[in-house]
Amino acid sequence: EAGVAQSPRYKIIEKRQSVAFWCNPISGHATLYWYQQILGQGPKLLIQFQNNGVVDDSQLPKDRFSAERLKGVDSTLKIQPAKLEDSAVYLCASSSGPGARYGYTFGSGTRLTVV
Amino acid sequence: GDSVTQMEGPVTLSEEAFLTINCTYTATGYPSLFWYVQYPGEGLQLLLKATKADDKGSNKGFEATYRKETTSFHLEKGSVQVSDSAVYFCAQTVSGNTPLVFGKGTRLSVIA
């Protein structure tokens, strides 16, 4: 079974620029999560999708972050404009159902550096 | 709110040493508890889990027991190997349908 694919692996941008990350979940997985992992901290949930609908985006900074999951498969997370404190690893995960009891599969992440 | 607290790292051990990484949780209900591992350059992988009090999760020589009385889920391994070097995350979910909440992670380095 193919894993969760994320791209790019690394990205360096200047503050106030825009950036987008892409995630392709495991085939058939209805639930998709985006987590932000700042250096030295644990992953923090940004947004959860169930198929193409948003289940939880309460911790997504909506003034600058946006995410979509068109057709309930691939997802894109965008930051516009980026700030220095957005430097982090952005992790995508998918599962066959909502919540941890269905088992998460994580991608390798995208490491963003904002300078 | 619901949270997970792990011991600070990094932890450096010699090969074949005994490992303990402490984890405590706060939750309004009875959460399910997890340990995830992140090897260098890779995504998070589930190491083990326990869904109710007194359950013991185990995998690859690692063990953790869900202790409701002390709200803890400490990770242990009797004899670590160099290949165990990674970052370990304790996590919880309050109900089966809610996302994982992670601790800050503990970096383990095992030297030969």
Side-chain angles (χ1 to χ4, degrees):
Chain A
E1 165 179 87
V4 175
Q6 290 189 248
S7 67
R9 286 299 305 273
Y10 305 93
K11 190 73 176 179
I12 301 174
I13 62 172
E14 295 183 349
K15 58 184 179 183
R16 291 187 291 273
Q17 285 188 324
S18 302
V19 65
F21 313 127
W22 174 81
C23 173
N24 179 233
I26 289 176
S27 177
H29 277 193
T31 308
L32 185 146
Y33 308 85
W34 282 102
Y35 279 82
Q36 180 193 55
Q37 186 179 7
I38 293 173
L39 185 65
Q41 298 183 22
K44 183 186 82 171
L45 180 71
L46 291 175
I47 190 167
Q48 176 186 351
F49 290 95
Q50 182 69 18
N51 296 308
N52 60 349
V54 175
V55 175
D56 182 356
D57 64 356
S58 57
Q59 299 191 75
L60 187 74
K62 298 181 186 67
D63 58 334
R64 297 184 301 106
F65 285 65
S66 64
E68 60 183 8
R69 190 181 184 199
L70 298 176
K71 300 180 182 179
V73 182
D74 292 5
S75 179
T76 303
L77 176 69
K78 297 180 182 178
I79 308 175
Q80 180 179 10
K83 293 185 176 181
L84 296 176
E85 58 261 35
D86 298 332
S87 295
V89 176
Y90 291 85
L91 295 167
C92 180
S94 70
S95 63
S96 57
R101 66 190 172 104
Y102 290 91
Y104 284 31
T105 301
F106 282 88
S108 297
T110 295
R111 183 178 297 277
L112 173 67
T113 303
V114 182
V115 298
Chain B
D2 302 327
S3 65
V4 173
T5 303
Q6 293 181 234
M7 64 185 287
E8 294 280 335
V11 174
T12 302
L13 295 174
S14 297
E15 209 166 21
E16 299 183 2
F18 185 86
L19 168 71
T20 300
I21 300 178
N22 291 338
C23 171
T24 57
Y25 67 89
T26 56
T28 52
Y30 298 99
S32 295
L33 301 172
F34 305 79
W35 278 100
Y36 276 77
V37 59
Q38 190 173 35
Y39 298 104
E42 299 184 17
L44 288 157
Q45 302 173 25
L46 177 64
L47 182 59
L48 53 83
K49 67 178 181 181
T51 57
K52 60 183 187 296
D54 299 326
D55 269 2
K56 177 185 284 188
S58 61
N59 186 25
K60 299 181 181 179
F62 291 89
E63 293 183 339
T65 301
Y66 187 164
R67 302 284 188 200
K68 189 176 71 171
E69 62 275 15
T70 54
T71 63
S72 65
F73 192 55
H74 304 323
L75 182 69
E76 297 182 336
K77 186 174 186 182
S79 176
V80 293
Q81 305 301 312
V82 172
S83 57
D84 294 326
S85 298
V87 182
Y88 293 82
F89 293 90
C90 187
Q92 68 161 317
T93 178
V94 176
S95 79
N97 291 331
T98 56
L100 286 168
V101 173
F102 287 89
K104 290 186 175 183
T106 303
R107 181 176 298 277
L108 169 67
S109 295
V110 181
I111 54 177

